[in-house]
Structures are given as C-alpha cells and as structure tokens.
Amino acid sequence: MLPAPPLTDHPPAAPAGHPPIGPEHRTALVDVNSFYVSCERAFDPKLAGIPVVVLSNNDGCVVARSDEVKRLGVDNGTPWFQLAARAKGWGMVAKSSNYELYGDLSSRVMELLGRHAAWQEVYSIDESFLGLDARRGAYVEQGRVIRAAVARHTGLPVCVGVARTKTLAKFANRIAKQNPHLGGVCDLDAMPAEHVDAIMTRVPVTGLWGIASRLGKRLNLMGIETVAQLRDADPVLIRDRFNVVVMRTVLELRGIPCIELEPVRPDKQQMIFSRSFSTPVVGAERMAQVMGLYAQQAAARLAKEHQVAKIMTVFASTSRFRDDVVSSIVSATVRMPNPTADPVLMSKAAIETIRARVVDGAPYAKAGVMLTGLEPAGAAPVFDEFLSVHEHRNIGALIGDVTTRFGTHAIGLGRAGLIRVPEWTMKRQRMSPRYTTDWDELATVHAR
DNA sequence: GAGGTACAG
DNA sequence: GGTTCTGTACCTC
C-alpha cells in the first residue's frame, strides 16, 4: 500500500459546520465493495478471483462475502459449520475477522474521502456520505477521481452513488454496484429519468436504506412492493401506518432532503463490550475473571473516547441453541460512585456484581458489560474526596499508555494480567496478520 | 423511563 | 458441536 499522499496534492480536508442545501450541491454515498474481504485481498493477492468469506468473532458465521460467494448463493449470517463441508469443493477461503486491520484501513480511506469532498459524514466502518460541490466539476467526474484516489492509495475498490438526498444516494450507489458498465459511479440526475423510473419499478422496497424484511412485509400487505410504489405513496398515510422514519424515506425518494448530513459524530450514549466464548464458562470464580477482563476492555474504550460512565450493567447467558443444559440469563445493574472510566473501579464493580448471581453448573456461552449514562470526561467536577486511590494515581491512563505502546496483552489488572490466554477466549483460527498495526506482523515486500 | 421492536453495517 | 457484535430511534405502556 502506498503511504497517504502529502496534503498539497489535494483539496483541503472537509470543513466543519453544517453543509448547505442547494442546487449546486449533491450528496454522495461512497462505500468499499465487500469491505472486509477487500481488506484481506489488499494484502494477499492469492485471494483475488476466488470465493472468500470473512467470519464473525469465534469464527461463527459469515459477515462478509466476495462476489464469487454471493454468486454461489451463500447468505450473510450463514453459520460456518453449515458451510465448511461445501467450502472445500468451491475452493472457498474463510478468514477470521481482523478488526484491527479493517479499522486501520478504514481510517485511511475515510481521510482520503474527506479530502475530496466539501463535507463528510463517516457513516460506518466502510461508508461515508460526502457533500459534493458542483464547482469542483461534474459529479460523475468527481466520483471517478475519488475511486481512483482510494484505489491508488489503499488498493480498495469503492463505489460512488450521487443524488439529491441520502436515501437516493444510497440507491444510486446500489445501481453503481450492480451495473459494472457504469465504472463504479452513478449520478442519479445524470441518468435519463425514464431509466431511473424503470429501475425503481423493478427494485423491491427492501432494496432501500431503512426498509428491511419486516417493514417490507407490512408494506407488501398494503400493495407497496417496489421502490417506485413507495415513492408514489401518500407520505401522511405512511406516517400514520408506520412511523416518521418511513415517511422520510418516501420524501427523500422524491428528492426532498429530510435526513441531514451530520459532519460531527454525536457522543455515544451507551457502550457494550460483549463476547461469546469459544468454550463455556462455568462457576462464579471463572465468570468473575471474565468480567474483570471485559470491564477493563470497556474502560479502555471509554477512556479512548474521553467519556465516563455512571451506570454499569453486567450480563451473562447460556446458549439459546441448547436445551440439554442448565439454562440461565443473568443481568444486574449498578450505579458507579462517580462517573468514571477507571479500570480498577470498573473491574471491581463488575466482578462483585456478577459473582453473586452466577448459577452453579450453568455453562455460560456469552457475557458482557454495558455502560450507560455516558458523559464527556471532565464535564462534571468531582470532589477530590470521592476519587479512589487509583484515580488519583491515574492508573487508567497508565494502563492505556502501555496498551497503546505495547499491545492489549502487555498489561492487565489482577487476573487480566495472566500471561496465558484463557481457554474460553474467542476462536480466531483463520486470522491474517495485523499487516499495518503491529511491528511484528508487517507485510514484507520483496523486490528484485 | 423501561422494555420491546426494527434497522444498519 | 458449533449460529457475531455494536449502536440508535421509535413505539407502547
């Protein structure tokens, strides 16, 4: 991969503030095709042209598929154990998810996209909404420049949909994906209107952003089956029978913007750290160990976002796919003495809260820590007297620094500091190296 | 405000 | 034997 280009090669980064709405602007939706698969391929040329899937945590089920896999008729969410036998015959390769790699490539892509837009909303790990300004050239041309820039600097393929609203930009992006002759860019207003109408008449409502299977079923019952039919439905009727969200979709399909571009990500309201185990966890002491670790991970994330939490919920449950064992779902909520991101306090609280509630003999399959009542760190002053000893000594920040410099496993409190990884840690048997974020796993380039 | 439903990626 | 994780908004009570 090429390094990020110097800033002088490009327009300046997207400005802060609210984007204007006007005839000289459009909304673009840019996303990476089969993002996780494309990340794996960017570092392993052997994966090109063959069916590739990326698996969820614990190598559980399919979360990303290459085009070859989509053509084989394999759905997202398919459990790997149902696929494994057939995979060999297909020549399919499965990779464990490697969020460190995807997160790093995502930042690079997002930064590049921001440089090519008047405004940017980073919408997900692989998508941005961009505000395009007509003064920077024809929208289709801007889309092509964006595609070329991302391909050159990261090796990742993106598609660009351009339209007057977010919903239509999403739709245009879909058209760009499904029609290779468009070269990955679709400006809805640059297409003949009857052509767009013909597509909208063919595509089912569930092809739209915000309309999934359940809403789709209910809409079908009213006789609304296609995008065109939803566009032409009565917005007020739709609001009354469904909700304002679906009504906004109707209006946006007509080119009336109802969903703002949000350049600034609002602070999180809640944070969850939850994992399924590779092997069940039994007993209060083992579960205490798990919770201590999970609470520290949650604390680290919280600190990274410069937030503190007032309320903690810990939960654990046995597998819902087994009826032959003691079944148990436990959850309990505690209020922290002060809003905090302190790993010592949080792991103590998590351990004490779960210990008393674990059911003896129940094989827990999954557990987690949920933090709510989040606020920005330092927003509310805290009496010095109320701070714990570790908060005074800033142990949390110290642990954070060590983790950043030496990795997640370099330091931990109590049993989280175990040298050996516990046996219930999630299974990631098919993981590729952290090519870009770990010195020991950097990609090697051979030249001759 | 809590808890359930629905959606997204 | 084995089926992800995280986050938000809306609706109902």
Side-chain angles (χ1 to χ4, degrees), chain A residues 22-26 118 131-139 142:
Chain A
E24 71 283 16
H25 293 97
R26 289 290 184 276
L132 300 186
D133 186 329
R135 288 167 296 186
R136 291 193 187 177
Y139 300 121
Q142 292 190 46

Side-chain angles (χ1 to χ4, degrees), chain A residues 391-412:
Chain A
E391 284 174 299
H392 269 304
R393 295 188 189 155
N394 218 357
I395 300 282
L398 174 68
I399 292 177
D401 287 346
V402 173
T403 309
T404 309
R405 286 182 60 185
F406 302 107
T408 330
H409 297 295
I411 190 169

Side-chain angles (χ1 to χ4, degrees), chain A residues 18 119 142 161 173 196 215 223 275 336 371 420 434 448:
Chain A
H18 259 298
W119 283 271
Q142 292 190 46
N173 180 279
V196 174
L215 278 173
R275 290 279 180 279
M336 307 304 290
L371 303 172
R420 272 189 55 117
R434 288 162 288 185
R448 47 179 182 170

